[in-house]
Amino acid sequence: MTERKQIIVGVAGGIAAYKACTLVRQLSEAGHSVRVVPTESALKFVGAATFEALSGNPVRTTVFENVDEVLHVRIGQEADLVVVAPATADLIARAASGRADDLLTATLLTARCPVLFAPAMHTEMWHHPATVDNVATLRRRGAIVLEPAAGRLTGADSGSGRLPEAEEISTFAQLLLERPDALPYDMSGVKVLVSAGGTREPIDPVRFIGNRSSGKQGYAVARVAAQRGADVTLIAGNTVGLGDPAGVEVVHIGSADQLNDAVSKHAPESHVLVMAAAVADFRPTHVATSKIKKSHEPGHASDAPAIELTRTEDVLATAVRARTDGQLPNMKAIVGFAAETGDANGDVLFHARAKLARKGCDLLVVNAVGEGRAFEVDNNDGWLLSADGNEVALEHGSKTLMASRIVDAIGAFLRLG
């Protein structure tokens, strides 16, 4: 059962205010007490009745309502988390300058909990020097300002400045409730290359060899690294149903060969490689150009066809060798992933230690897999092994929480290096 927290959802006056309705619903359904504090402009896009119905709490906008309750102080004092979504250029400017001319900005001044801003504005406004300075000011003071998504904006315009999807904002909100210090802006200038999801090795135009990886853990690492300031490229394999993370360049691939090509292309300019993808170890030697028919159909052999397999390229080992050979001069850290089960020869950690030694990477994230573990689920746990022999248990929790621990370890490794 999720511990019930007090969450304030601030809503500024932009067209993306309608997306706050989904965010309020998701946070409420997660078991939290949610109170919406909109600006007067926000209520021109979404009425107070909608927010009250979704949250179950009254909606106020000014410091002159319910004065006897001293709402402009009490709401911020009692909050476990404040999320502002959308955070317009105007709201960010007022927050950075310490204004307190409505209930939302007054709440921001009194809150001593984590404060998360999810910006939404046109590209030109997001990149304007005034906004850049205001965002830097808020981050310097300890607030979390998310990188916006790129895509369709108001009218026919497209570009960066789009509000991240409600699910992504609520994911970060939940992370901050679990771990308030999870999103420091400490990876600026670091180029991170992440692979995620399973590869699919075609047998014929219909069938393929694949695995159960959902890509959620790799996506979580990419998402957290980007929001901590890193320049992130995500190479995504089979990740059905996962939206592209905000602030991340995404390259979609299908097979192990395509993954290897993409890593080879992007790795030379990267400082960190995180190989979270579940790469198929084998692929069919020959791929049929037409669908292989069932054996009982007229005119075909009665026996099931034999599929000859060939080993795929070991993408992680190839990257390690390329760095050793001087082909990746910028690469400072290589992180591998190991999904392991115990057997007659040893337990999960026994096999993981052997893999770390064999692969030659700097860090290895280890997951024990099985029914309901690691694959196709939202939670995870495991161990983080270092080439120097250090081993740290990764506590059970959301994959985003685990991603924050992994990015912590990457940051520590870079600082030591």
Side-chain angles (χ1 to χ4, degrees):
M1 179 69 179
T2 300
E3 183 182 353
R4 186 176 176 84
K5 298 289 188 177
Q6 302 291 325
I7 302 177
I8 305 303
V9 175
V11 184
I15 184 61
Y18 76 93
K19 292 185 177 181
C21 297
T22 302
L23 175 62
V24 172
R25 178 180 57 79
Q26 290 177 348
L27 294 173
S28 296
E29 290 180 350
H32 303 299
S33 174
V34 181
R35 178 162 189 157
V36 181
V37 181
T39 64
E40 287 286 351
S41 297
L43 294 183
K44 295 182 182 296
F45 294 95
V46 180
T50 298
F51 289 132
E52 288 179 343
L54 290 170
S55 68
N57 281 308
V59 169
R60 303 287 184 267
T61 61
T62 78
V63 298
F64 298 107
E65 299 176 88
N66 299 85
V67 176
D68 60 312
E69 299 180 26
V70 200
L71 292 181
H72 71 289
V73 174
R74 184 171 58 81
I75 291 176
Q77 286 178 333
E78 296 179 354
D80 295 299
L81 175 69
V82 177
V83 181
V84 183
T88 60
D90 175 72
L91 189 283
I92 288 173
R94 290 196 289 137
S97 62
R99 296 275 293 275
D101 45 5
D102 61 10
L103 188 57
L104 177 53
T105 50
T107 297
L108 291 172
L109 281 182
T110 58
R112 293 299 179 265
C113 58
V115 177
L116 174 68
F117 292 89
M121 63 197 74
H122 263 66
T123 305
E124 294 84 356
M125 299 173 76
W126 175 246
H127 291 299
H128 192 282
T131 304
V132 172
D133 285 348
N134 290 332
V135 168
T137 295
L138 291 174
R139 284 173 172 162
R140 188 177 67 252
R141 293 174 182 163
I144 297 97
V145 184
L146 297 182
E147 290 294 319
R152 182 72 178 270
L153 304 171
T154 306
D157 293 341
S158 293
S160 59
R162 179 183 173 90
L163 185 71
E165 294 303 315
E167 184 175 4
E168 186 159 5
I169 299 171
S170 63
T171 295
F172 283 123
Q174 186 60 47
L175 173 63
L176 292 171
L177 291 173
E178 292 180 278
R179 186 186 173 203
D181 63 345
L183 293 174
Y185 198 75
D186 60 350
M187 298 285 286
S188 180
V190 179
K191 293 185 176 182
V192 179
L193 180 62
V194 182
S195 69
T199 65
R200 291 180 170 182
E201 313 306 320
I203 298 171
D204 63 16
V206 177
R207 304 174 181 89
F208 60 84
I209 297 173
N211 55 62
R212 295 175 57 191
S213 173
S214 65
K216 291 180 179 179
Q217 187 63 76
Y219 267 56
V221 172
R223 184 176 289 116
V224 169
Q227 298 302 347
R228 288 174 63 159
D231 180 2
V232 180
T233 299
L234 172 63
I235 304 173
N238 176 37
T239 54
V240 177
L242 298 185
D244 292 351
V248 174
E249 178 187 354
V250 182
V251 178
H252 293 278
I253 57 92
S255 67
D257 283 347
Q258 291 172 350
L259 173 63
N260 190 51
D261 290 343
V263 171
S264 297
K265 176 182 177 181
H266 293 280
E269 62 185 26
S270 301
H271 302 116
V272 179
L273 172 62
V274 181
M275 280 295 301
V279 188
D281 294 321
F282 301 93
R283 60 176 173 79
T285 304
H286 305 287
V287 179
T289 57
S290 58
K291 179 184 175 182
I292 300 172
K293 303 299 183 181
K294 293 181 180 178
S295 59
H296 65 267
E297 293 182 4
H300 295 276
S302 59
D303 293 333
I307 300 175
E308 182 182 353
L309 299 178
T310 301
R311 279 195 175 276
T312 59
E313 185 77 19
D314 189 328
V315 183
L316 176 59
T318 298
V320 172
R321 286 197 302 271
R323 182 177 63 171
T324 302
D325 294 341
Q327 299 173 28
L328 302 178
N330 298 315
M331 189 67 67
K332 306 300 182 185
I334 297 179
V335 184
F337 274 66
E340 295 288 350
T341 61
D343 58 21
N345 295 317
D347 61 10
V348 168
L349 281 175
F350 172 83
H351 291 292
R353 292 174 188 127
K355 184 170 187 177
L356 175 62
R358 187 170 65 251
K359 298 288 187 178
C361 52
D362 302 301
L363 301 169
L364 184 70
V365 180
V366 185
N367 300 128
V369 298
E371 190 63 33
R373 299 190 67 184
F375 289 134
E376 301 172 320
V377 294
D378 294 326
N379 295 323
N380 209 354
D381 55 38
W383 299 267
L384 184 62
L385 310 187
S386 302
D388 62 6
N390 191 38
E391 298 181 0
V392 177
L394 297 169
E395 63 187 281
H396 186 78
S398 69
K399 288 188 174 179
T400 309
L401 177 62
M402 186 165 175
S404 74
R405 302 293 189 192
I406 294 168
V407 176
D408 282 350
I410 293 170
F413 185 88
L414 293 177
R415 288 189 293 273
L416 290 173

